[in-house]
Every structure is written in C-alpha cells, then in structure tokens.
Amino acid sequence: MPPLDGEARVRKVRGLLDAVRAEGRTALTAPEGKVLADAYGIAVPGEDLARDVDEAVAAAARFGGPVVMKIVSPDILHKTDAGGVVVGVEGADDVKATFHKIVENARAYAPEARIEGIQVQELLPQGQEVIIGAVTDPTFGKVVAFGLGGVLVEVLKDVTFRLAPVDPGEAASMLDSIRAAEVLRGVRGQQPVHREALAEQIRRVSELVTDFPEIAEVDLNPVIATAQSAVAADIRVILAESIPKPRRTFTRDEILTSMRRLMEPRSIAVIGASNEQGKIGNSVMRNLIDGGFGGDIHPVNPKSDDILGRKAYKSVTDVPGDVDVAVFAIPAKFVASALREVGAKGIPNAVLIPSGFAETGEHALQEEIVAIAEEFGIRMLGPNIYGYYATWQDLCATFCTPYDVKGGVALTSQSGGIGMAILGFARTTRTGVSAIVGLGNKSDIDEDDLLTWFGEDPHTQCIAMHLEDLKDGRAFVAAARETVPKKPVVVLKAGRTAAGAKAAGSHTGALAGDDAVYDDILRQAGVIRAPGLNDMLEYARALPVLPAPKGDNIVIITGAGGSGVLLSDAVTDSGLKLMEIPADLDASFRKFIPPFGAAGNPVDITGGEPPSTYEATIRLGLEDPRIHSLVLGYWHTIVTPPMVFAELTARVVAEFRERGIEKPVVASLAGDTEVEEACQYLFERGVVAYPYTTERPVQVLGAKYRWARAAGLLT
C-alpha cells in the first residue's frame, strides 16, 4: 500500500511509539510493526490478529488459501525459537489445532509471557529470501542493511551496509554489493527479482529510522523477492533504551580556521618548558628550536626566567601578543588550571601531550578539561599524544625524534607507538611528509577535523590515518566525501571483532559487527582501507607517485615467466583487469621478443634479453593509447643489471611524461641485493618499484585504481 503523507505518517508512528514506551516496552509486536510498515509504504502481506480460535478460522477463510500463523506477544521477541510460527496452515480444523499448539509452545517457552493472540497472515509465494534492516551503529548512527535472508542469514552473513537515509541509487547499489548478487539477477533459469521493489523497501526502511531516532533496530526477515514484488513476511522493531547526547559540532569554516592556526602557527607557548634534559618540556623546546620553527616560541615555567636562551614566563597569561598554540608538557593533575589560563589568554588551540586521563581510567579529569575547553572555545589535540609535526612550517612540537623531510603525505595515528612506526618508516624510505599528528584520546580534535584541513592543504597530496575508533562516523564520512575527489584517503582501522553484535535483539543487529559496518561505510565514502600498518604506509608513500589511470587495461611486461604468472594472479586478486591484447598490438610486441618468448598478456621477453628489449617493449606499452597501466617484472641478470634496468625505465617514463603521456607504472624486481637500490632509484623518479615481491606493486596499483574510481576519474 502507498505510504501516508509526511505529517500523517509521523503522527501515526509517533502515537504508536509513545504508547509502547508508556507500557515500558522496547519491542513492538508484529501487528504494531505492521502499523509502521503501512505508514511508510513498506510492503507486507495481508494479516489479521486473532484473539481466539474462531477469529483465527474467520481470518484464514478471508485470505482463501494456506496461511502463516505466528504468536503475538510483547515478551517473545524470537517467535521461531518459541515454536510460535507455523507455515502453510489450511482448513478450519488445521487452523484450530495450530492455534492451540502455538499457544502451548509459547507458554512452555516463556510461562510469564503475555499472549495477545495469533497473527494470521496470507502465505506469500515462493521467491528469493533476503533481509532488509536497520540498526543504530555507535559510530555511524543509523545504517541500513541488505543481504541474503531466511534462516541462514547469520550463517552466510552476506550483508552490506549504507548510511541512512539512502536515495534510490544508493539503495539499488546495495543489491550489487553482496557476494550472491548474481542470484538476484536470475540463475539456472530462475527469473530475476524485482530490483526496483527491493530497492524501494530499503529506501523506506532507511526513511523510517531516520525520522525516528528512538528506533534502534528494524528487521524485515525474510523479504520474499519475486519477479513481481518484494514483500516482508515478518517485521521486527526494537526501540532504544535512550538516545545519545548530540556531539558538539563545528562548521567547515570553523574547523578550517582553527586547524589553520594549529598547523600554521605564528606563535607557540610551551607550558612546562624546562632546561633539564630528559624532561618532556625540554625535548619539545629543543625540537621547536632545532627544527627551525620561524615563529615565536614562548617557554612557560613559574620557576625559571630563562629556558634555552629564551625569556620564560610565570604564566601563559604573561606572554605578550597573540599565541596560536599552547603545547602542554606538565603532569595531568595541573592541566585543568593551566587550560583555564590558556582560555583567559584567548589561545585557540591546546596540544595536550600528558597522559593520565581517560586511558588510565581518569574519565572525570578528562571530562573536566573538555568542559573547560568548551567554555573558552579552545580546540584540544590529545591528551596522551606524542605531539605533532608540520614539516612545511619547520614545526616539530613533540618529545620524540625530529623529522624534517618535506613532502605530500599527511599521517595521523591514535597510538603513540604507531606514530613512531610511521616516523621510522618515513625515515627509512625517505618519504616526504606534510604532517605527522598524534590524536591519542581524541577528547576534541579527531580525524574528521584533520581530514577537513588536509583536504584543503596545498602541501598534502595523500592522507593516511591509523584509528582505533571514530567518535563521529558521519562527520568523518562527510569530510572524506569532500576530500576524496581531490586526493586519496587511506585508513588503517584497528580491531576487526564483532563483539558489539552479541547482545543485539535482531538479525540485522547481530550482523552489524563493528568491522562489517566500518568496511562498507568507509568504502561508500571512497576511503581506501589498508589491511595492515605496512600496507597503509606503503599506500601513502606510493599513491602520490603514481599518476591517475585513464582506463582499466593493464599490461604486464616481464623478463621471467614465473614472475609473470604471479603478477597476473596479483592483478586478479586486486580486482584489476588484464588487457586482452588485440592482434595488431600482439604483432608489435612480437617484433621485440625472441621466438622462445611469449606475447599475449603477460608479455614475456625472457630473462636473457639486453636492455634494448626492455626499453623497446616499455616504450610500446607507453605509446599505445589502448594500454592504461604497465606492470613490469624484472629478473636480475648480468646482461641487464638492476641499475641499468632502473635507469632506462626511469628515463623512458620521464620522456613520455614530458610529452604529456602519463600512465601508472609499477615494477617488481627479483634478484640479488642490488635490486633494492634500483627500486629506490625508480621510486624517486615516479615508478613504484619493490624488490622480492610480486604482490606489493600490484596492490599499490589496485589502491590507486580504487581511489580513481571513488574520485570519479574512472567509470
């Protein structure tokens, strides 16, 4: 049936939910669920509530065929477990016997349960069983789910998620996002399901939970999808115990204004600055001074007049002029009072290095500083962090080792240990960074603030973030959607457990484990999710090096057949496409390879070929406009030593780029230790190359392709 108009349906549902709340219930009965479904136009079968046997017989007669009979009890959530569902009941005698049997089963299952009657429902035709639902995720709020349904839903767990509400296009995309998507299109002579009807059911469920935040979970399971319709055979609705307090939010302009003063400060105060080596306040001061920060550095220490040759102040309020950032290097117990002085001074940003807050169970202390920051309008980074680096400002506000190699990669981490791994990787690989930022407890500033800033920062070409959680998943998604069209965003999300789903009251809730929702929502936002720390760092290092691909056709040119096979496997595993080489291109490659080599794709030039063969085939791959990306497999020989291969490859790629022909080129180098130097040489010249691995260069290429699609550069 069509939905009610906006105001009418809201009044209808509001009245029902208020009544359920008034009774102290959080679970709606099936007839109550039908009221919601009818109000929002969610297709459900015809049904009646029978309070006695005679009403059940009459209801079954009205439907004129086999029916489904279900227990109706506000105290029995899982009807099947209670023996409260019987399918295919037909005839008055069968209806009567089933009525009594269901009631007996329910009383045996839950003796104290209130039984309101039996739901008599018309039997739906056979079709594909799917599940449509919604759940309140602690990170992302309301999300909708779609997947294979019925009794195997929690076994197969073939489900996809989207942020609610969804528009028709997003709803339709969910049908193609499950592993069994082909089943919905019709296999082995079966008709395809009615896609528009299914997508509309998803959209209307998403609309319902968006309009009523107090609805915690919705299950339509199973939804029977046929070529003609999509009808929910059962609807389950659970209300939340409470609605979370809204998080303090900032406009985009407010975020950019405060982040600019944090990341491009003209004046910094170090609260707890010290002359004593080994103190955090001394390390921060030395890094700021030795790093060449060009702005004003003001040490604050009530017991000193001079720190490292600079005038020290008893209080931050004594510092002359405006200050953009206050870096805290004092014990946690003194932070609150010093933060009030920062607020009185009008300093907009506080960088809280000290630990001893929520991470150690001191939640009240952290809540106190949050309240102070809100009172004075201070944005806080931390507490419990290593500080931050902004290389283009020659800024090293940290007690850790300095790093000053400028480049286009912005890196953030929630963990100090991971932050130091980032630093070590950057140093070892000579990765140029625009910033490295610790987030720690994220009492205020978090990933969406930094993502908003780095998205606009002209020095940043790629953003990589390690996170253990997101305080506001929707804000992060909004920031990612603004950023991804301009530059790649790589995320390493720690924690892949689904512990949060154990206490769920619905199938959808049980399926919506933390990682399952994160995976789909981050993909929806265009974020590249890295499987591990090294992957995140390599993606961050490599993605700015590679130009964006202009098409899907990938060609492998290799000097070793074995590498070619492994590279082909890696291309497939990364979701990429090997080009089907047309006859004329095949003939062109054959001109440069020996008779015992192999054209096709991979193009195997064999290992004994001189540098000229590598150069000729690479030139052909770059020259032909039908080829969009090259994967090179090199095998170390004396005929073509590693650095000879590296130099000729870099020279040819540079020549074509000068001509305006830019294609992603990645390389796998197999050989003795000389290949390590050759890979570094190639990397520095725009060819992403790795020694001793066929998987990594192709994985990086796959990440570049994922970003290009998310950015709308590829169809």
Side-chain angles (χ1 to χ4, degrees):
M1 64 178 293
L4 299 174
D5 64 52
E7 290 186 9
R9 71 184 184 188
V10 168
R11 285 196 304 271
K12 185 83 170 175
V13 174
R14 171 58 58 215
L16 173 62
L17 298 186
D18 288 348
V20 171
R21 286 282 197 201
E23 294 180 16
R25 291 192 283 124
T26 56
L28 275 63
T29 64
E32 290 168 339
K34 187 176 187 306
V35 172
L36 272 60
D38 290 346
Y40 275 76
I42 297 167
V44 293
E47 62 183 52
D48 277 333
L49 175 62
R51 292 177 174 80
D52 57 37
V53 169
D54 292 337
E55 287 185 358
V57 171
R62 281 194 294 275
F63 293 126
V67 296
V68 181
M69 297 178 66
K70 305 175 183 179
I71 192 70
V72 177
S73 169
D75 304 313
I76 299 177
L77 195 58
H78 298 284
K79 297 183 287 292
T80 301
D81 293 348
V85 179
V86 179
V87 179
V89 184
E90 189 168 12
D93 291 342
D94 196 7
V95 170
K96 291 177 183 178
T98 302
F99 187 101
H100 292 303
K101 182 61 176 176
I102 288 176
V103 172
E104 289 173 9
N105 289 345
R107 296 209 182 282
Y109 177 80
E112 303 301 321
R114 293 164 290 173
I115 297 176
E116 296 182 354
I118 301 294
Q119 183 185 41
V120 181
Q121 187 181 77
E122 66 176 324
L123 184 64
L124 294 173
Q126 286 190 333
Q128 178 62 51
E129 293 189 355
V130 299
I131 182 172
I132 295 171
V135 68
T136 306
D137 183 81
T139 297
F140 297 102
K142 295 292 188 287
V143 297
V144 286
F146 171 79
L148 290 187
V151 295
L152 293 178
V153 60
E154 289 179 36
V155 177
L156 299 177
K157 296 182 179 178
D158 189 7
V159 180
T160 188
F161 298 89
R162 298 289 188 277
L163 291 178
V166 294
D167 61 29
E170 286 176 319
S173 76
M174 297 178 75
L175 308 187
D176 296 318
S177 297
I178 61 172
R179 297 188 300 276
E182 197 63 31
V183 172
L184 305 179
R185 302 185 190 108
V187 293
R188 296 194 175 185
Q190 293 183 352
Q191 287 186 305
V193 302
H194 194 312
R195 293 177 63 86
E196 292 77 13
L198 264 182
E200 185 61 10
Q201 290 279 66
I202 296 170
R203 190 191 69 78
R204 291 181 178 183
V205 168
S206 80
E207 202 172 29
L208 169 65
V209 296
T210 301
D211 287 347
F212 295 93
E214 64 265 49
I215 296 178
E217 300 177 26
V218 173
D219 250 3
L220 308 184
N221 184 42
V223 174
I224 307 301
T226 67
Q228 293 76 37
S229 64
V231 182
D234 191 44
I235 178 168
R236 180 178 300 157
V237 179
I238 299 171
L239 305 183
E241 297 287 347
S242 61
I243 299 176
K245 177 185 175 183
R247 177 198 176 205
R248 182 173 64 140
T249 59
F250 301 90
T251 67
R252 183 175 178 82
D253 285 345
E254 288 172 335
I255 292 171
L256 289 173
T257 297
S258 62
M259 290 302 100
R260 181 169 287 106
R261 293 188 70 177
L262 174 68
M263 302 304 298
E264 298 179 351
R266 293 166 297 180
S267 177
I268 295 176
V270 180
I271 300 173
S274 173
N275 282 312
E276 184 179 343
Q277 288 193 4
K279 293 276 191 179
I280 289 177
N282 177 265
S283 300
V284 173
M285 284 292 296
R286 294 220 71 89
N287 276 337
L288 285 169
I289 295 168
D290 297 345
F293 176 62
D296 296 325
I297 304 170
H298 302 292
V300 176
N301 189 319
K303 299 178 182 179
S304 300
D305 296 320
D306 179 282
I307 293 178
L308 300 181
R310 294 174 184 258
K311 176 177 172 55
Y313 298 90
K314 306 298 182 188
S315 166
V316 73
T317 57
D318 299 329
V319 175
D322 292 335
V323 177
D324 295 304
V325 179
V327 179
F328 282 63
I330 55 178
K333 62 183 178 180
F334 301 124
V335 167
S337 59
L339 191 61
R340 284 197 173 277
E341 293 181 348
V342 166
K345 174 68 177 171
I347 301 174
N349 294 290
V351 176
L352 305 183
I353 290 176
S355 57
F357 292 90
E359 83 282 359
T360 60
E362 294 290 344
H363 297 281
L365 190 55
Q366 184 158 312
E367 289 169 4
E368 181 183 5
I369 63 170
V370 168
I372 294 169
E374 290 185 3
E375 178 185 348
F376 288 98
I378 304 166
R379 297 303 311 271
M380 293 192 301
L381 185 63
N384 185 33
I385 62 172
Y386 49 85
Y388 73 115
Y389 304 75
T391 59
W392 291 96
Q393 309 304 314
D394 296 317
L395 170 62
C396 184
T398 173
F399 63 96
C400 300
T401 55
Y403 192 70
D404 60 0
V405 181
K406 298 177 176 67
V409 180
L411 297 147
T412 77
S413 70
Q414 200 167 340
S415 157
I418 299 300
M420 290 306 94
I422 288 171
L423 200 65
F425 175 89
R427 196 180 304 282
T428 299
T429 57
R430 288 176 264 174
T431 299
V433 304
S434 60
I436 303 174
V437 183
L439 282 162
N441 295 4
K442 298 194 292 193
S443 64
D444 177 23
I445 292 173
D446 61 9
E447 286 84 3
D448 56 88
D449 295 297
L450 293 173
L451 191 53
T452 299
W453 166 253
F454 290 133
E456 299 296 329
D457 177 27
H459 298 301
T460 299
Q461 298 171 281
C462 178
I463 303 126
M465 296 179 152
H466 157 265
L467 57 94
E468 295 167 5
D469 59 9
L470 287 170
K471 288 194 310 181
D472 187 339
R474 286 181 174 258
F476 180 84
V477 167
R481 284 174 170 166
E482 286 278 347
T483 303
V484 165
K486 296 175 282 190
K487 56 193 76 172
V489 178
V490 181
V491 163
L492 171 61
K493 166 64 173 67
R496 298 178 183 273
T497 63
K502 291 180 180 176
S506 67
H507 293 291
T508 305
L511 292 163
D514 292 345
D515 198 62
V517 177
Y518 264 98
D519 208 44
D520 274 356
I521 301 301
L522 291 180
R523 188 182 302 113
Q524 184 186 356
V527 169
I528 300 164
R529 187 170 180 188
L533 176 58
N534 188 255
D535 303 281
M536 180 192 83
L537 296 172
E538 289 292 2
Y539 291 174
R541 175 169 77 119
L543 292 181
V545 173
L546 292 174
K550 296 180 174 63
D552 291 323
N553 288 336
I554 295 171
V555 169
I556 298 171
I557 299 172
T558 180
S563 292
V565 173
L566 291 174
L567 289 168
S568 298
D569 289 343
V571 167
T572 301
D573 291 344
S574 296
L576 302 176
K577 176 185 175 184
L578 279 175
M579 180 184 184
E580 293 185 13
I581 305 291
D584 65 311
L585 184 56
D586 182 75
S588 297
F589 274 119
R590 287 185 184 277
K591 292 177 184 177
F592 303 112
I593 57 179
F596 49 86
N601 197 3
V603 179
D604 182 5
I605 67 172
T606 75
E609 287 300 293
S612 59
T613 305
Y614 276 106
E615 180 168 345
T617 50
I618 292 170
R619 282 185 176 278
L620 179 56
L622 292 172
E623 187 78 56
D624 195 299
R626 293 168 293 183
I627 299 173
H628 302 122
S629 299
L630 289 181
V631 176
L632 308 180
Y634 166 80
W635 178 36
H636 186 166
T637 66
I638 297 176
V639 177
T640 304
M643 281 306 297
V644 171
F645 168 79
E647 289 167 356
L648 77 84
T649 300
R651 173 172 47 82
V652 172
V653 169
E655 176 190 320
F656 274 85
R657 287 181 180 171
E658 288 175 5
R659 292 165 50 188
I661 299 174
E662 292 191 304
K663 300 179 182 181
V665 180
V666 301
S668 164
L669 278 66
D672 210 333
T673 54
E674 295 168 55
V675 299
E676 296 175 18
E677 180 186 359
C679 284
Q680 184 65 40
Y681 181 92
L682 284 166
F683 228 114
E684 291 170 354
R685 289 158 180 80
V687 177
V688 169
Y690 292 95
Y692 322 128
T693 172
T694 53
E695 296 80 18
R696 180 48 57 82
V698 180
Q699 289 166 350
V700 167
L701 182 62
K704 189 73 177 189
Y705 265 89
R706 292 203 299 279
W707 169 73
R709 291 192 197 287
L713 303 178
L714 286 173
T715 55

